[in-house]
Structures are given as C-alpha cells and as structure tokens.
Amino acid sequence: MQSERVRAQRKEAIYKLLLALCLLVMTSFAFPRITWLGNLGYALIALLLTQLVIRRKQVLGVHDRMYQALGLVALFTQLLWLFTPMHWQFSGVPLVLSWILMVGWSVVRLVKRLASEQHVNSSVLMGAAAGYLLIGLTSGLVMVGVETIQPNSFEPMSTPNGIDLSNASVLDWMPVFAQINYFAFICLTTVGFGDITPMNPLARMLAVSTGVIGQLYLAVVMGILIGRFSSELRKS
C-alpha cells in the first residue's frame, strides 16, 4: 500500500513538473530578454520525459532504452542547432526529425499513463494540459527548424530594430522565432488569425498537421478523463 502511494506521488510530481516546464517555455516567448530560458526549458523537458521518468522503472526493456537514447539525440541536435550559423540550413534537419519522433513517442506514453489512472484529480488534469502544451511547443520548435532549413517559410516576420542578424547564429534569432511559436499555437487551437502565413508546401502541411493532432489529442484525452470520471460517479 505504501509503495503504491509513493508511486502515485511520483506520477503527480512528474505531471506538475512537466506542466511547469511547458509554462516556462511559453513565458520565455513573451519576453525577448529571457528567450534563452525557452531553450533551457526544451532541454529540461527532453531530460524529464526520456531520462527521469524512465529511471523510475525497476526493469528497462529494449523500447525504454531506445526511448532514452532518442531523448539524448534530441537534446544533442538541439544544442548543435542553436549554435550553428543561420546559413547552415541543414543543421535543422536532425532537430526536426529527432524532436518529432521523441515528442510523438512521449505523447503516446503520456496518454497511456493517463488512461491507467484510477482517479481524476488535479494532478491528472495537469498532466493532460501539459501534453497539449507540449504538442504546441514541439510544433513551434519544428516550425522554427523548418524556417532555418527553408528561409521565409513563414511570413511576415518582424525583426527588432537595431539588431544585425546577417551573420548571427540560430540562438541570436530566437526573439524573432518566438513569432513562429505563437503561430504554432494559433494552429493548435485552430483560431487562425491570419497575421502569419505559411508560404511553402512543407510549412503549410506542418500548420495543418498541428491543427489535426491538437484536435485528436483533445478528443482522446477528454474521452479518457470523462469516462474515468463517470465510472467514479457510478461507483460512488
């Protein structure tokens, strides 16, 4: 009984920590001076999902070790991409591929974990919200990677006055790329303000995919939570 209680507390702590990291990354987009916190938040999310959560398990299978390795690859590709010059366009390709695979795998694991919960409480709701935000944040990161691979994929993009970005690295462009992260959440929520437009086929498919995946996630998770809550009401 005590071990189950400790395991439940660990799950709740992971849900809360994941949500806190997602909110940290989103906050960094609103304030250009602390944009670097967003990159740190992404790295911590990768470590949390693929290293900390897995180490809680007593026995690691082949898929668990592959998942851990994928998390390290995603973290390495992010760091490599951040410090490369913008004209090294193909440095974003490993980033895009590794983060799509890692977060897609992570969301599937998260949904399975939510489905295994016996009770719907505030921590479970935090975990569900964190998964939704994680999809939006990853879509933004992937869109930014595509922007570095194919410049002018999203327009218009405003550059802050007085900043020379002609020979800058990807990290120096982050305050500008925050606009693309905003666009990713516009797609995720299917609001569609139209102030930023995807200009090429790959960018357009990313926008469509983000909207579709966001709605599928909501449908699946809401079905799980409502079904679990209804069963609790019937039992009570």
Side-chain angles (χ1 to χ4, degrees), residues 10 14 45-72 102 105-106 109-110 113:
R10 288 176 177 175
I14 289 172
I45 288 173
L47 291 175
L48 172 65
L49 292 174
T50 63
Q51 308 303 317
L52 180 60
V53 174
I54 294 297
R55 288 182 181 178
R56 301 287 186 181
K57 299 181 68 173
Q58 296 179 353
V59 180
L60 295 181
V62 176
H63 288 85
D64 293 327
R65 297 190 183 278
M66 291 176 58
Y67 183 57
Q68 280 187 319
L70 181 59
L72 295 177
M102 186 201 71
W105 198 342
S106 299
R109 294 174 68 99
L110 177 62
R113 185 182 291 262

Side-chain angles (χ1 to χ4, degrees), residues 1-10:
M1 180 68 69
Q2 187 175 0
S3 61
E4 292 181 359
R5 185 177 303 173
V6 172
R7 193 177 297 112
Q9 290 175 350
R10 288 176 177 175

Side-chain angles (χ1 to χ4, degrees), residues 161-177:
N161 295 328
I163 298 180
D164 181 18
L165 296 174
S166 56
N167 297 315
S169 66
V170 173
L171 185 62
D172 298 322
W173 275 80
M174 281 300 147
V176 179
F177 288 158

Side-chain angles (χ1 to χ4, degrees), residues 49-236:
L49 292 174
T50 63
Q51 308 303 317
L52 180 60
V53 174
I54 294 297
R55 288 182 181 178
R56 301 287 186 181
K57 299 181 68 173
Q58 296 179 353
V59 180
L60 295 181
V62 176
H63 288 85
D64 293 327
R65 297 190 183 278
M66 291 176 58
Y67 183 57
Q68 280 187 319
L70 181 59
L72 295 177
V73 170
L75 180 61
F76 175 75
T77 57
Q78 181 198 3
L79 295 176
L80 181 65
W81 171 73
L82 284 174
F83 294 102
T84 55
M86 277 292 295
H87 61 269
W88 290 13
Q89 297 179 0
F90 291 102
S91 66
V93 174
L95 171 91
V96 170
L97 296 177
S98 61
W99 274 85
I100 288 177
L101 290 175
M102 186 201 71
V103 174
W105 198 342
S106 299
V107 170
V108 171
R109 294 174 68 99
L110 177 62
V111 171
K112 290 181 178 179
R113 185 182 291 262
L114 292 172
S116 66
E117 297 289 348
Q118 299 300 318
H119 305 286
V120 178
N121 52 28
S122 59
S123 298
V124 172
L125 294 177
M126 288 182 184
Y132 188 66
L133 296 181
L134 181 61
I135 294 174
L137 293 175
T138 305
S139 297
L141 183 62
V142 170
M143 289 180 183
V144 170
V146 169
E147 177 67 21
T148 62
I149 298 169
Q150 297 181 348
N152 303 318
S153 292
F154 302 91
E155 292 184 357
M157 301 290 293
S158 59
T159 305
N161 295 328
I163 298 180
D164 181 18
L165 296 174
S166 56
N167 297 315
S169 66
V170 173
L171 185 62
D172 298 322
W173 275 80
M174 281 300 147
V176 179
F177 288 158
Q179 302 167 62
I180 299 181
N181 286 279
Y182 151 79
F183 173 72
F185 276 92
I186 295 302
C187 295
L188 181 71
T189 56
T190 64
V191 174
F193 286 135
D195 49 348
I196 296 178
T197 305
M199 302 303 295
N200 58 39
L202 180 57
R204 290 168 182 164
M205 286 308 301
L206 280 175
V208 171
S209 300
T210 300
V212 171
I213 292 172
Q215 301 311 303
L216 287 176
Y217 177 86
L218 287 178
V220 172
V221 172
M222 290 302 295
I224 291 172
L225 297 180
I226 293 174
R228 188 69 65 195
F229 187 70
S230 299
S231 63
E232 288 182 15
L233 289 179
R234 287 195 297 269
K235 290 179 182 179
S236 62

